[in-house]
Amino acid sequence: MIQIDDWVELISETDDEEVAVGMLLRVVDVSVDRKIAWVRPDFRIFSIPISKLRKV
């Protein structure tokens, strides 16, 4: 289960061109229904479906 402060890897393409498959991202928040994670590769924050992330 992915939680806040976990490191995750993007395993599937997204519509956002600023994050790429294979990037390591830090989880800063997770939706109540556990479908969306807000992740941060640096100072920007992106929302990504949890199904496209793998905990590392």
Side-chain angles (χ1 to χ4, degrees):
M1 175 174 18
I2 293 175
Q3 301 175 4
I4 294 172
D5 287 333
D6 282 348
W7 283 94
V8 294
E9 177 183 10
L10 183 62
I11 59 170
S12 183
E13 296 275 332
T14 68
D15 293 336
D16 199 321
E17 296 176 2
E18 294 191 50
V19 289
V21 171
M23 283 184 80
L24 292 179
L25 308 159
R26 185 149 189 212
V27 177
V28 294
D29 202 1
V30 178
S31 65
V32 173
D33 61 6
R34 313 235 18 108
K35 292 186 178 183
I36 302 288
W38 285 267
V39 296
R40 179 174 77 186
D42 47 34
F43 296 105
R44 300 163 294 167
I45 296 177
F46 300 92
S47 62
I48 297 178
I50 286 181
S51 63
K52 295 182 181 238
L53 302 170
R54 176 178 58 201
K55 188 174 177 178
V56 293

